[in-house]
């Protein structure tokens, strides 16, 4: 039935094309509603099956959120949100689900309503659901902020104490995170109580207002924040340990293949060479080199010169460099565990082949009944296969190392290409 809609006619008029855009948007909302119904029913069936199998209440439902996320091609960490939203819409918010089904709300706006009302009792949530949907008259012309504000307003009126309690709980989630920004920059984000955050921002702004050395307000605020937190001048070199992986040919200036900075991602060759050059010439910095070997065909890490004599430590470093992030498909979380694909207790070896980089949540999820993870290696390509309790399989292949791939007909032993790992350590 969708073929006629998805086949875009080249001769279509602008009005017809607008119509296609509108109908596709409606379909996305409808699909989100169907996905929520299927997810909630899946959880019910799983719970019933586990209960019938005599599983304790505490053990039930483990791993299901990861399965839901994988089915949606999303990071396992998001599975909880998907399941929570599905359960809330199906069991507690019929009017919001109906609005989603009719295309009046997008999935994002429906999720916003679910989030804003999460602190309410089921009874109050049903009240909010009915009230908001009646007031909105089909949400015509309502933007993301208005949907959030109205849901928040009704929530606060229905149960002010619950909102206060939620706010108090939120304080516990305060944290500092980083994510890459373009042009070798990075965003450092503080999630903190409102008063403290505004206070910190105001203090930095005041500092900038008093400074008249030609730097912009943003520049002074950033410099002051750095100096206060690290206790160092911005002009002083940074003294942290960096793991930088780059091709020896790039280090020698023969090519400009991007390097890989652990915990950040790819960086241009020029910048990588500047980092290594700075470390080599700075008397206080300590630059160390370690040779890594790349498979000629897959480009993956095959061996590493090991300084550490203790086998597991070197192996953990090897797996970390090979996998870079958690190996579960769609999960980009940092590696917290060096996990056995086939568990130790089932005779799984402590080896690079059986080892996998995993984040905490994924390592826990795959311990749930019905999950199986196996690893294989073919032509230097390390593959992990995840089988879920419903029989779905997902594959993840380790990423190649930096450097130009070599596709010559050479045996592995002869075709090893050396890559240098440069580590800067604190002086
Ligand atoms: Zn993970």
């Amino acid at each position: 039935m969708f073929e006629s809609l998805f086949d875009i006619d080249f001769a279509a008029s602008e009005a017809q094309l607008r119509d296609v855009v509108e109908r596709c948007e409606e379909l996305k909302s409808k699909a989100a509603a169907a996905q929520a119904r299927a997810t909630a029913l899946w959880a019910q069936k799983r719970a019933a099956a586990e209960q019938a199998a005599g599983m304790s209440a505490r053990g039930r439902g483990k791993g299901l959120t990861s399965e839901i996320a994988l089915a949606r091609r999303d990071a396992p960490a998001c599975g909880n949100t998907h399941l929570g939203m599905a359960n809330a819409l199906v069991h507690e918010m019929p009017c919001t689900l109906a609005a989603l089904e009719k295309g009046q709300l997008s999935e994002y706006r429906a999720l916003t309503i679910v989030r804003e009302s999460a602190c309410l009792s089921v009874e109050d949530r049903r009240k909010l659901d009915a009230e908001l949907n009646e007031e909105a008259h089909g949400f015509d012309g309502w933007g993301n902020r208005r949907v959030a504000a109205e849901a928040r307003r009704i929530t606060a009126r229905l149960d002010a104490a619950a909102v206060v309690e939620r706010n108090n709980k939120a304080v516990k989630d305060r944290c500092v995170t980083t994510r890459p920004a373009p042009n070798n920059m990075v965003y450092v984000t503080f999630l903190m109580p409102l008063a403290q955050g505004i206070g910190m921002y105001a203090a930095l702004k005041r500092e900038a207002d008093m400074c008249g050395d030609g730097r912009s307000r943003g520049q002074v605020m950033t410099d002051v924040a750095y100096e206060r937190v690290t206790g160092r001048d911005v002009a002083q070199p940074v003294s942290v340990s960096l793991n930088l992986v780059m091709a020896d040919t790039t280090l020698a200036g023969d090519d400009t293949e991007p390097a890989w900075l652990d915990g950040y991602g790819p960086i241009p060759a020029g910048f990588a060479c500047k980092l290594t050059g700075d470390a080599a010439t700075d008397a206080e910095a300590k630059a160390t080199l370690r040779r890594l070997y790349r498979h000629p065909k897959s480009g993956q890490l095959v061996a590493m010169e090991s300084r550490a004599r203790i086998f597991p430590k070197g192996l953990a470093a090897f797996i970390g460099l090979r996998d870079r992030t958690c190996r579960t498909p769609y999960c980009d979380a940092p590696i917290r565990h060096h996990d056995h694909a086939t568990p130790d207790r089932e005779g799984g070896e402590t080896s690079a082949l059986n080892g996998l980089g995993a984040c905490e949540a994924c390592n826990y999820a795959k311990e749930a009944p019905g999950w199986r993870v196996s690893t294989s290696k073919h032509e230097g390509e390390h593959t992990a296969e995840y089988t879920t309790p419903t029989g779905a399989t997902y594959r993840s292949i380790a990423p190649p190392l930096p450097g130009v791939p070599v596709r010559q007909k050479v045996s592995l032993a002869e075709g090893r290409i050396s890559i240098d790992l440069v580590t800067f350590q604190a002086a």
Side-chain angles (χ1 to χ4, degrees):
M1 68 185 263
F2 300 133
E3 268 70 15
S4 58
L5 179 61
F6 295 149
D7 253 344
I8 308 298
D9 183 3
F10 241 71
S13 70
E14 285 188 38
Q16 282 169 328
L17 291 170
R18 190 208 62 230
D19 183 57
V20 172
V21 171
E22 278 177 3
R23 285 167 63 200
C24 284
E25 199 53 39
E26 219 176 279
L27 271 180
K28 284 200 269 178
S29 293
K30 253 192 206 345
Q35 217 171 22
R37 284 188 196 281
T39 304
L41 187 59
W42 184 5
Q44 268 180 320
K45 295 206 169 197
R46 174 65 57 86
E50 285 175 342
Q51 193 175 6
M55 195 182 277
S56 71
R58 273 195 72 203
R60 280 178 225 160
K62 269 185 193 161
L64 181 63
T65 54
S66 290
E67 290 176 67
I68 292 165
L70 283 169
R72 292 182 62 139
R73 299 172 181 237
D74 205 353
C78 303
N80 225 350
T81 305
H82 296 317
L83 178 59
M85 168 155 156
N87 279 333
L89 287 175
V90 172
H91 302 304
E92 298 169 13
M93 313 183 84
C95 303
T96 304
L97 180 60
L100 182 64
E101 209 141 45
K102 283 186 230 154
Q104 295 169 341
L105 279 174
S106 65
E107 187 178 28
Y108 179 80
R109 288 181 193 151
L111 178 61
T112 302
I113 299 172
V114 169
R115 272 210 179 116
E116 292 297 344
S117 61
C119 62
L120 294 178
S121 66
V122 176
E123 199 184 313
D124 279 342
R125 211 176 199 183
R126 290 212 173 102
K127 271 190 219 158
L128 172 140
D129 180 54
E131 218 175 284
L132 178 63
N133 279 274
E134 200 192 315
E135 184 191 306
H137 288 298
F139 294 94
D140 227 10
W142 284 42
N144 294 348
R145 278 179 189 223
R146 179 149 181 214
V147 169
E150 287 301 309
R152 207 176 301 144
R153 186 181 60 77
I154 299 174
T155 303
R157 184 164 49 68
L158 287 174
D159 195 347
V163 174
V164 171
E165 200 190 313
R166 177 174 68 175
N167 292 348
N168 289 342
K169 265 193 204 143
V171 173
K172 284 195 201 124
D173 294 334
R174 63 189 183 275
C175 62
V176 183
T177 52
T178 63
R179 73 195 154 89
N183 309 320
N184 299 324
M185 301 286 276
V186 68
Y187 295 106
V188 179
T189 309
F190 291 80
L191 179 67
M192 58 202 297
L194 185 71
Q196 285 179 13
I198 298 291
M200 191 165 119
Y201 188 79
L204 290 171
K205 234 166 85 179
R206 206 168 36 242
E207 203 78 33
D209 289 339
M210 291 188 305
C211 172
D213 61 2
R215 284 178 295 169
S216 74
R217 170 185 286 247
Q219 288 168 348
V220 176
M221 287 170 74
T222 314
D223 294 349
V224 170
Y226 173 80
E227 286 167 359
R228 295 271 163 88
V229 172
T230 62
R232 288 168 160 268
D233 195 88
V234 274
Q236 261 179 296
V238 200
S239 183
V240 289
S241 169
L242 299 174
N243 271 328
L244 177 69
V245 184
M246 66 192 295
D248 55 350
T249 46
T250 312
L251 189 63
D254 295 340
D255 63 48
T256 53
E257 276 301 303
W260 178 271
L261 184 59
D262 207 18
Y264 176 82
I267 59 169
F271 185 62
C273 290
K274 186 186 174 309
L275 279 179
T276 53
D278 285 354
T281 48
D282 183 351
E284 280 186 36
K286 204 164 85 186
T288 57
L289 280 172
R290 195 190 298 208
R291 201 172 289 266
L292 307 178
Y293 299 92
R294 205 177 67 147
H295 191 276
K297 201 160 175 196
S298 72
Q300 286 177 12
L301 182 60
V302 290
M304 182 171 87
E305 209 174 56
S306 181
R307 292 250 170 93
R309 292 284 154 174
I310 313 155
F311 173 69
K313 199 176 165 196
L315 188 64
F318 177 93
I319 291 169
L321 285 167
R322 183 194 63 197
D323 295 348
R324 292 182 187 169
T325 58
C326 173
R327 278 290 292 276
T328 309
Y330 313 112
C331 185
D332 304 318
I335 294 174
R336 292 269 177 268
H337 295 274
H338 298 92
D339 188 32
H340 289 73
T342 301
D344 204 20
R345 58 176 186 275
E346 288 169 28
E349 278 177 25
T350 302
S351 66
L353 175 63
N354 193 42
L356 282 176
C359 73
E360 207 162 343
C362 289
N363 193 20
Y364 185 63
K366 78 175 246 312
E367 293 297 314
W371 281 75
R372 212 172 55 245
V373 183
S374 62
T375 50
S376 61
K377 208 165 172 191
H378 179 66
E379 296 202 319
E381 210 167 68
H382 187 268
T383 305
E385 194 174 273
Y386 295 72
T387 308
T388 68
T390 58
T393 56
Y394 303 90
R395 257 175 221 105
S396 102
I397 297 169
L401 286 177
V404 188
V406 177
R407 304 251 176 224
Q408 294 163 337
K409 261 183 153 180
V410 283
S411 74
L412 174 59
E414 292 164 351
R416 279 179 178 175
I417 298 161
S418 68
I419 311 271
D420 289 308
L421 165 75
V422 184
T423 321
F424 301 160
Q425 286 165 338

